[in-house]
């Protein structure tokens, strides 16, 4: 039953891409190329996230053009493409962080576990608990390292600390300490900061801040983790640790990661989406196929470094 | 220092060369003259005293001649190649305009006052002299252009003092209706001040060897002298108040077991009594017939409660409004209008707030001047500044923090409370400090809303804490003390100053009492300030320890 529904959605997607691109074929080649190149990505099972014909405008700037893709559960999806092609924009649409950009207008549908997130009455707080995000530039709070990690769970009421909780006998500081340690270990940061958990996080190096933000994202235990270039400021050793982490995470979490590093995408991801300048999703398929046998001429050129 | 083939400027300059010493000495002399002229201006140094065996005015003149001469000698020496410097082609427009204007004034004054030509005559000569100096300083190379005009003028001013053309008893009557005149006591220090600044600037440039480095040294010296003089003037103001008031404050001061008044503290129904081991009557007493020493305790307590009340009223409201404006309201017409209105309110004269309190608040609080009316009036005055500064502080909290918090699934209000407010707190506290500094010294609103009296008896010390009582009917608490008239230091000071002869109450020496009140007011305001600074320091350290 559900599979058939899935099929129809897919078909609809295809049709819509056709109808949408047709009237816009004024510039000729590229739009037609997209059509020719397009091949729908098929996989077994339910998609965790189903994006359908997503358009994003910043003012008059059309930043994403009719993007449709289904992201399978418990897998790693890499988004690659030249700078400014809309990868971050796409990522931010998946937990509605783009709503916070005043000039942004979003058109289309994104379904999380089959539930539309762009509709009236969606609880954004709940959505963002389930779909966590690591930003492109590290943004720790001006608080201590431990507080950065425990912030989310504390605000959600999962962990209670402080005088009142202690008086009521509900304080679970041990749990908090465990959580802090686990998240920091997962993010490959524990060894470096274990002796200064109460220091301000702004005193960490750029790469350490980046890992702290990953740890902070893990602390609220989301189902989907969106990562925007999480390894851009890391040395090869830390990068390897983060890649291991992502690999582990993909057993229980759905990970969507933006990266500029092709080798990294090839190493860690199950499927890869290639965006090209202008905000179009040009090709989306199994990572092996994308890197070994891309359908699109332009994707091949981009991957081999000829085209940006 | 450098080899002949090396045409670049040397990387390391030896500052202790003998020629450099001339310039350094000139800078030091300029600084000394600057300090002396400030001292003379504030009458800490009399022009008729002798200094180094000569009258002060002659000494200043001689020193100016030496200073000007040194500057000229250094400039000419550099131009002729005796001194190694790196001058640029011209001293530049700024220096040219500055020198031109100064010479324009000097030329005009000499032509009109000494030579005595008519309006057209002095104007022409002033333009001629000013224009000429402008041309000289812009056209010639920097080492001449930036030293000669300054040095010659300084030496000229010095000569005028030395020859006694402007001596200690010199007066220039302007011939206006109000009998306005320039006396030597003002003119000599002022001219010395400006000349030493001008020459000090030139000498500092010379010391830096002209060029970019010289300009840096020159600007540095000017800014430094400026800052020092501002701090100096403020310090003199403060020292003056302390000097005049300390006697009155310390009147009857005693230390020892049991010399002070008895205080009673009630804790959990048990009363503890203890005697203060210090006795400082001026801050521990009111005014009374039986008092050996009188004091201003009621006004001190009144001021403290006034400020506490105003802060308690204004800060929650102001911060709340700022949160609404920055975090919730759509930025647009409305927020702009509110912004303009708050800025306007902050610049509203305090007497207008006072009048508002008088006409609006007093009829609602028992129709008499009261502490509560004063608190609220000052609270209304403080409100706009709290809104403005809190808003600025919240706007400067990076959006990244808000995004990070939102992405963790934290609600907006929790984000504001746990991330935005803590990050904005130092800025908010700064606003409160500034505002309290203003309202704690405010006289006009108090005059209209809570006026106490000239000499306030100790029995009128407001006891807000003790005044609270529970009642059986709504609102279940009452505090009649809040609705009593009370005094505050600035108002008491004002009343003391304007009180007529014979109104001296039981105070033996009203003048001493007045200055002591001023000193206590200063100390109370500075204490609030210190508390604010400490709070800000604490919140900052919390934020990035
Ligand atoms: N807040 C914004 N307001 C206006 N325009 C924006 C905004 N954010 C992004 N854009 C525009 O949208 C386009 C896509 O930006 P996006 O940040 O998604 O690129 P990206 O693929 O993540 O690039 P990079 O690899 O450099 O991070 C760009 O042209 C950019 O100028
Ligand atoms: Mg990006």
């Amino acid at each position: 039953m559900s599979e058939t529904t899935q099929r129809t959605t897919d078909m609809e997607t295809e049709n819509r891409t056709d109808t949408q691109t047709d009237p816009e074929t004024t510039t000729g080649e590229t739009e037609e190329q997209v059509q020719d190149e397009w091949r729908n990505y098929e996989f077994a099972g339910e998609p965790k996230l189903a994006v359908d014909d997503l358009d994003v405008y910043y003012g008059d700037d059309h930043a994403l053009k009719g993007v449709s893709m289904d992201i399978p559960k418990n897998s790693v999806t890499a988004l690659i493409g030249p700078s400014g092609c809309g990868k971050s924009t796409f990522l931010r649409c998946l937990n509605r962080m783009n709503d916070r950009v005043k000039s942004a207008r979003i058109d289309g549908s994104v379904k999380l576990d089959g539930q539309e997130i762009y509709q009236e009455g969606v609880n954004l707080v709940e959505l963002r608990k389930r779909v966590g995000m690591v930003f492109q530039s590290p943004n720790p709070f001006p608080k201590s390292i431990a507080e950065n990690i425990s912030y989310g769970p504390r605000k959600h009421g999962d962990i209670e600390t402080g005088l009142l909780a202690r008086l009521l006998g509900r304080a679970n500081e041990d749990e908090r300490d465990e959580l802090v340690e686990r998240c920091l270990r997962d993010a490959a940061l524990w060894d470096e900061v274990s002796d200064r958990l109460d220091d301000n996080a702004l005193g960490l190096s750029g790469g350490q801040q980046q890992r702290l933000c990953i740890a902070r994202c893990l602390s609220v235990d989301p189902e989907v983790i969106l990562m925007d270039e999480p390894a851009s400021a890391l040395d090869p050793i830390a990068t390897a640790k983060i890649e291991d982490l992502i690999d582990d995470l993909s057993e229980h979490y759905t990970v969507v990661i933006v990266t500029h590093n092709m080798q990294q995408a090839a190493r860690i991801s199950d499927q890869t989406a290639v965006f090209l300048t202008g905000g179009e999703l040009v090709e989306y398929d199994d990572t092996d196929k994308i890197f070994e046998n891309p359908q699109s001429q332009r994707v091949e050129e981009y991957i081999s470094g000829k085209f940006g | 220092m450098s080899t002949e083939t090396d045409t670049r400027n040397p990387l390391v300059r030896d500052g202790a060369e003998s020629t450099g010493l001339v310039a350094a000495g000139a800078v030091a002399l300029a600084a000394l003259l600057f300090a002396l002229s400030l001292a003379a201006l504030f009458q800490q140094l009399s022009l008729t005293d002798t200094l180094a065996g000569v009258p002060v005015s002659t000494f200043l003149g001689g020193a100016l001649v030496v200073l000007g001469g040194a500057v000229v000698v250094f400039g000419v020496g550099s131009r002729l190649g005796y001194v190694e410097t790196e001058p640029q082609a011209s001293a530049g427009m700024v220096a040219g305009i500055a020198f031109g204007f100064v010479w324009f004034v000097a030329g005009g004054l000499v032509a009109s006052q000494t030579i005595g030509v008519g309006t057209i005559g002095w104007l022409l000569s002033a333009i001629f002299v000013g224009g000429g100096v402008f041309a000289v300083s812009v056209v010639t190379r920097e080492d001449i252009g930036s030293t000669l005009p300054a040095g010659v003028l300084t030496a000229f001013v010095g000569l005028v003092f030395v020859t006694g053309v402007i001596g200690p008893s010199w007066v220039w009557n302007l011939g206006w209706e109000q009998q306005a005149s320039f006396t030597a006591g003002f003119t000599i220090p002022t001219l010395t001040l400006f000349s030493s600044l001008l020459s000090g600037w030139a000498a500092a440039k010379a010391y830096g060897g002209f060029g970019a480095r010289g300009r840096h040294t020159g600007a540095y010296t000017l800014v430094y002298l400026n800052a020092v003089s501002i701090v100096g003037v403020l310090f003199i103001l403060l020292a003056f108040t302390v000097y005049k008031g300390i006697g009155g404050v310390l009147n009857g001061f005693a230390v020892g077991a049991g010399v002070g008044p008895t205080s009673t503290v009630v804790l959990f129904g048990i009363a503890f009594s203890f005697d203060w081991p210090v006795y400082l009557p001026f801050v521990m007493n009111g005014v009374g017939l039986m008092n050996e020493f009188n004091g201003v305790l009621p006004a001190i307590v009144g001021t403290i409660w006034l400020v506490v009340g105003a802060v308690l009223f204004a800060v929650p409201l102001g911060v709340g409004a700022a949160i609404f404006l920055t975090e919730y309201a759509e930025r647009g017409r409305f927020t702009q209008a509110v912004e303009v209105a708050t800025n306007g309110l902050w610049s509203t004269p305090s007497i207008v707030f006072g009048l508002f309190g008088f006409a609006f608040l007093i009829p609602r609080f028992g129709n008499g001047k009261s502490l509560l009316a004063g608190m609220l009036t000052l609270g209304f005055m403080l409100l706009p500044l709290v809104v403005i500064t809190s808003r600025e502080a919240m706007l400067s909290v990076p959006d990244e923090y808000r995004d990070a918090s939102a992405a963790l699934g934290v609600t907006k209000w929790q984000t504001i409370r746990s991330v935005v407010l803590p990050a904005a707190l130092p800025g908010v506290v700064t606003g409160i400090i500034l505002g309290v500094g203003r309202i704690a010294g405010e006289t006009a609103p108090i005059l209209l809303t809570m006026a106490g009296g000239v000499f306030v008896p100790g029995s009128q010390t407001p006891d807000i804490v003790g005044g609270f009582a529970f009642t059986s009917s709504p609102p279940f608490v009452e505090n009649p003390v809040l609705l009593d008239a009370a005094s505050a230091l600035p108002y008491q000071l004002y009343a003391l100053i304007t009180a007529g002869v014979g109104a001296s109450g039981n105070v033996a020496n009203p003048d001493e009492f007045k200055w002591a009140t001023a000193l206590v007011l200063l100390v109370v305001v500075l204490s609030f300030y210190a508390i604010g600074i400490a709070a800000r320091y604490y919140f900052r350290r919390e934020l990035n320890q």
Side-chain angles (χ1 to χ4, degrees), chain A residues 100 125 143 151 155-156 200, chain B residues 403 405 408-409 414 418 543:
Chain A
R100 301 170 60 79
V125 170
K143 299 173 183 289
Y151 174 81
K155 295 297 146 194
H156 296 165
N200 196 294
Chain B
D403 284 348
S405 187
L408 288 168
Q414 281 177 319
S418 318
L543 217 54

Side-chain angles (χ1 to χ4, degrees), chain A residues 95 97 100 102 125 128-129 131-133 135 139-143 151-152 155-156 198 200 202 216-217 220, chain B residues 330 399-412 414-415 417-419 422-423 542-545:
Chain A
N95 63 350
M97 285 300 281
R100 301 170 60 79
K102 285 253 163 50
V125 170
R128 288 171 189 155
K129 270 191 214 174
V131 185
M133 179 162 210
F135 292 81
N139 54 357
F141 299 122
K143 299 173 183 289
Y151 174 81
K155 295 297 146 194
H156 296 165
D198 292 327
N200 196 294
L202 298 182
R216 185 177 62 188
C217 173
V220 295
Chain B
E330 233 5 87
D399 269 343
E400 276 86 42
Y401 296 165
R402 298 184 179 87
D403 284 348
S405 187
L408 288 168
V410 175
T411 60
K412 191 161 190 171
Q414 281 177 319
T415 303
R417 235 195 41 200
S418 318
V419 179
E542 280 287 281
L543 217 54
N544 36 20
Q545 51 193 189

